[in-house]
Amino acid sequence: MTSKILLNIPRLCLRGILHPVINTAGPVCSCRHLTSDVASQQNVIQNIFTRKEKDEHSKIIFRTDVTNPGDHEIRHEGLLYTIDRGIFRRISSDDCFNRFKIQVRTFQEACIMIRKPALEVIHAMKNFDPNLPMPKFILYGHLGVGKNMTLLQTMHYAYMNKWCIIQTPWPQQWIERYTEVSKSTHKPGRIDLPMEARAFLCQLKSQNGIVLNDYKTQYRYDWTEREATEIGTPLIELLKFGLQRVKFADDVVGALLKEIKLLASQRKIKVLVVADGINGFFGPTRMKISDKAFKDTEQAKAGTGFLPTSDLSLIDNFKRLLEPDMVNSICVATVDSNLIPKVNRTDTITPQYLLGREGFAALDPFIPIHVTNYSDKEATSMMEYYTDRRWIHKESGKTHEGRKQLMFLSNNNPRELFKVCTTM
Amino acid sequence: MALCKGKLLFQYFLNNHINHARFLSFTQSNLSRYAKDFIDPIVEKEELSKPLDEFDTRRHRPVKAARTEETIMGDQAVQKFINIIMRDGKKDVARSVIDQTFANIKRKQIERYHRAPTQEEKEKIELDPVKIFHQAYENCKPVLYTRTKVHGGFKYKVPCPCEGNTQSFKSMKFLITAAEEKDKRIRMWKRLSLEIIDASRNEGVAIRKKQNLHRECQANRAYSHFRWSK
Amino acid sequence: MTSLTVKKHAFCSRFFVACSRLQYSSSAEKVQEQGQKENFRQLKIVGVHEIKERIQRTRFQRVRQPPRHLKMKVDQDWTNVWPTAHSFKWSVVPFPVRQGHVKNLAENEGMIPEKYGNLELMKIPNFLHLTPIHIKKQCQALKELCTPWPEGLEGNEINRLFPLESQTNDYCFASNNIRDPRARNVTVKFNVGNLKLTKAAKRKFLHLVGDRYDSVNNEVTLTSDRCPLKAQNFDYIMYLLTVLYHESSVKEAWEDEITLEDMSRIPWKLSSSRKNLVKMLAATNNINIKDENLTEEDQEKLKQLDSEVDEKYKTYKSTVLNLVNQGETKTNIENYKNSVLELMNLPKFEVH
């Protein structure tokens, strides 16, 4: 059936619509460092979309000099602030914030946008009840929407206020990409990942070097007949022991977390528990029991199937932090649809669906926080930043028309916006 | 395969006997896949927004799809480069390799830009990856190349002037093979971006390949008269 | 073989020529005979002879009328022009319309054919006889045949007195067969509230009914076309309704063995959220649930907490149940978040 009815329907070229307009003149003003009078400048940002005269020079503020995350307020929303590179290096360990690290190397500064979800968490971190169990903030949202950057901002706040930060790596590191497997020395039936535990200890050391120096152990740990950690040794010594004797690294992690939990309950330190993709820690792992590595373990008796996450001592130690007797601390975590097996993956991003029944039972009651795409204001100020850092350097990318098209193409998704701007 | 050869032969015919101007362009002007009644698309956005006249042909005729160059990533040489790097007809893979290559070049250049201490040095650094690619591509263009010719039972490598499509193809091929010969453990886009940056500064393996070709032509200059013999 | 047939053919043609010659000669003879009887025809020359003018008989030519649509007025009554269903007539339809396909430029100058003599337009059904004015007119005509609605049956009263609503259709034809297979269909609607069912029975009834239940107005619609006659179908539906009613009030033995995984809606008593809440409250009161040697005082306190939970944290309870059982909509998540903030004694983050 090839017949068509034509009733005054104009046939147009649809693909031509996305063509950038290059001829429209009007350079947009470059970066300005200003801190005062932010409110009036925000009006300018809002007005950029109602502006009609293209030749008019606009002054857009996209940065703030307030670098302490504790001082940020809602009026700073949509502005960028710079994290000291030394601090950033300490906070971000080997395998975290990889995409952002590339950006930092390119732009030669660690600059992130102040956004509402992070402000919300920091607000809670400032005035939470230390006597109640740990409140858990679960960030959810589509891919590339800025969940990780929210984590970074909260971690920055915690670091600046000398909190103890416990950050788990991307769960696939523990449940899938293991390097070495051994039987647990502490409890039969558990499985240790010594290399992963060592990496985790390294990270703890770089993030909490100062905190761990100040406090001492309150339990005694016997490792072998000869080796033991007495009561009153500094925590950093315990940590160093774990780094030296990789065999006991998993147990050292458990001991350290236990000590930190005790310190928190004694109101000596505040703890921030950070987990990117927390839903990966529930349900089965991707480790096949039939694999050679599990030959001598107890799990091998089952023969087939995947190893449950609760059998890994690292994950078990981490889950103890989530129990209700953990006080004077806050947990910030994200849920990620990438961690669900590809067969079951859908567009749903909501926390309960992604956590599953087991995860929901472990984490409930939690506080869900939706991380959304950029608003128009935020996208504009981000593009202004890119222009300042020369990521956008073509004239067509600096015009009002061009920016509108960039926003349209990326749907204001932060990751997509960065990608789309690479061609500009 | 046979079909492809036939197409090439036909092109050769067209090139030699009908349309010499086609040497200048990469695209096929003939052999269109559209029927003759298809009209060209409107690419300008301003033109699109204008209302159509009642008797306008565009109301009643089918329209061709806009070319890739005419949309946001518009560059003919880059499109050709994508086609040359493509294997097994997987164009999306080729395209993503090139995209990542350009992104990496841009990252490298911007890093260099921000590290440069003075303003003068900063202004010298070229940030546009497409321009860098063009520079590399121009630098890699050989002037001469050799053709094999059988004369009296012997094969001779006859130096010939290199121009037009041959020249541009050779230059792109130098860049790609130079990148492919590097360490296989590194991603292709990384290798290629390093190679392009090097070539834009007249350094690197691709440039050396060009020079080697020139040297070979120089060595075989005694046979250059074979070019005119049958 | 071939040579033989050729010869035969040659022979035939020769024979035919001979025959035709014979015929010719015979006709010539006839003319001669006539000429002998009458005179030769004279050659008449203009000016010399008197020539009668021949009357040229002109053929009657019908004047083709212009198409009807050119004569139409703007404010005409379309129902008179197109009273019933009819295939497309180019001369009557006043608006321009094109239909069809052209292969290339050569065919019809690349233009899609107009309505004049356009077969493609005649093939497809049109609805030119079903304009709003048509329908209005027909309704007016039918109105005379209707009877008024009985008094006192307005509003909800009719649902109370007549809880079942059955719907059938009759069809009339002008063809040789007056039966229509659709006439046997019966649809029965009723409100579920009118059935006397317990809570469990109602849930089971709705499970059995499936998608025939409309949750918006709490109605069930049963249709049947399995029997050849209308009355049989109606009886069948009545039978079906009886069976459904009795089946739903049956309780099976396995129903007591249902676990949490089998339930589509999780009850508060068994939910993990309640357990977590109790654990949390115990932890704030310095009671370790895992500890096996709990003092009696603690155990009593734990019991007290356990009994208080349901009453004290009503908002949290309702929001969690909504989240788990109804699904994660935007409002459900927002409500859950607010209730947890309240539970955790956290200040709300408000934007001014």
Side-chain angles (χ1 to χ4, degrees), chain A residues 196-261:
Chain A
E196 274 69 34
R198 189 172 184 275
F200 184 67
L201 286 177
C202 281
Q203 184 180 312
L204 267 182
K205 194 182 162 193
S206 85
Q207 284 173 347
N208 313 303
I210 306 159
V211 179
L212 295 179
N213 254 336
D214 295 351
Y215 297 102
K216 287 171 184 172
T217 51
Q218 300 174 43
Y219 293 103
R220 183 192 150 86
Y221 302 98
D222 294 321
W223 306 113
T224 55
E225 282 178 9
R226 289 181 186 175
E227 288 167 306
T229 309
E230 297 292 335
I231 296 173
T233 31
L235 288 179
I236 199 86
E237 289 297 316
L238 180 63
L239 197 150
K240 276 176 186 167
F241 174 76
L243 291 178
Q244 283 160 6
R245 297 294 308 270
V246 184
K247 190 187 170 191
F248 298 111
D250 282 70
D251 302 333
V252 170
V253 168
L256 266 176
L257 295 185
K258 194 178 169 188
E259 292 288 341
I260 288 170
K261 201 170 173 179

Side-chain angles (χ1 to χ4, degrees), chain B residues 25-42:
Chain B
S25 70
F26 292 117
T27 51
Q28 293 185 342
S29 58
N30 301 307
L31 305 171
S32 170
R33 61 196 165 109
Y34 291 109
K36 277 182 183 173
D37 58 333
F38 275 73
I39 55 170
D40 289 329
I42 311 165

Side-chain angles (χ1 to χ4, degrees), chain C residues 77-335:
Chain C
D77 189 358
W78 177 251
T79 53
N80 292 336
V81 180
W82 204 287
T84 54
H86 200 282
S87 63
F88 189 83
K89 260 188 210 165
W90 69 272
S91 60
V92 181
V93 175
F95 51 83
V97 59
R98 289 169 181 275
Q99 170 106 13
H101 174 65
V102 284
K103 275 184 191 164
N104 46 34
L105 265 182
E107 195 179 308
N108 200 25
E109 294 178 345
M111 304 275 277
I112 287 165
E114 236 190 0
K115 66 179 175 178
Y116 173 70
N118 193 333
L119 259 179
E120 294 296 331
L121 279 170
M122 288 192 216
K123 282 184 203 167
I124 55 172
N126 65 58
F127 299 100
L128 295 167
H129 63 291
L130 288 177
T131 59
I133 313 166
H134 275 108
I135 289 163
K136 213 176 184 180
K137 262 191 171 180
Q138 287 181 15
C139 286
Q140 281 295 332
L142 284 173
K143 213 173 183 182
E144 292 168 14
L145 305 173
C146 300
T147 50
W149 188 256
E151 275 180 31
L153 277 183
E154 290 90 4
N156 282 332
E157 194 66 4
I158 188 166
N159 290 336
R160 194 178 64 78
L161 294 171
F162 302 95
L164 282 185
E165 179 190 330
S166 79
Q167 195 184 346
T168 54
N169 287 327
D170 293 318
Y171 298 86
C172 66
F173 284 106
S175 66
N176 47 8
N177 185 6
I178 59 163
R179 315 236 175 257
D180 190 294
R182 288 171 292 174
R184 74 179 193 281
N185 296 358
V186 180
T187 308
V188 170
K189 270 187 198 172
F190 57 90
N191 198 315
V192 183
N194 290 327
L195 295 176
K196 284 170 186 166
L197 291 168
T198 60
K199 217 173 185 181
K202 188 184 172 187
R203 200 169 61 233
K204 211 177 275 184
F205 183 82
L206 295 184
H207 261 291
L208 288 170
V209 164
D211 60 353
R212 293 172 192 82
Y213 174 65
D214 178 12
S215 59
V216 178
N217 37 18
N218 199 21
E219 263 183 357
V220 172
T221 311
L222 300 173
T223 48
S224 166
D225 60 350
R226 56 168 57 195
C227 309
L229 290 182
K230 198 180 281 177
Q232 289 170 340
N233 274 321
F234 183 79
D235 288 347
Y236 171 69
I237 287 179
M238 288 302 108
Y239 160 74
L240 194 63
L241 187 54
T242 323
V243 171
L244 278 175
Y245 181 78
H246 288 293
E247 193 62 30
S248 56
S249 45
V250 173
K251 196 188 178 190
E252 301 286 345
W254 47 262
E255 279 180 43
D256 299 326
E257 296 164 12
I258 282 182
T259 57
L260 204 62
E261 275 72 34
D262 303 323
M263 293 180 185
S264 57
R265 298 176 67 83
I266 294 168
W268 171 245
K269 284 267 172 196
L270 303 175
S271 70
S272 61
S273 306
R274 189 177 182 279
K275 280 178 205 161
N276 281 356
L277 194 59
V278 174
K279 261 190 218 170
M280 209 182 103
L281 291 173
T284 46
N285 290 315
N286 293 326
I287 305 168
N288 191 359
I289 293 183
K290 281 183 189 169
D291 198 356
E292 287 170 9
N293 313 319
L294 277 180
T295 55
E296 279 184 17
E297 203 178 314
D298 281 353
Q299 275 176 350
E300 263 181 34
K301 210 172 185 184
L302 203 62
K303 270 182 190 172
Q304 195 193 340
L305 279 176
D306 200 64
S307 57
E308 274 179 3
V309 157
D310 299 346
E311 282 300 305
K312 245 185 178 177
Y313 301 97
K314 259 185 181 171
T315 50
Y316 172 71
K317 175 187 160 185
S318 68
T319 51
V320 165
L321 287 183
N322 276 346
L323 192 77
V324 174
N325 293 332
Q326 283 182 7
E328 293 178 291
T329 58
K330 208 175 173 185
T331 49
N332 277 351
I333 290 178
E334 190 64 26
N335 290 339

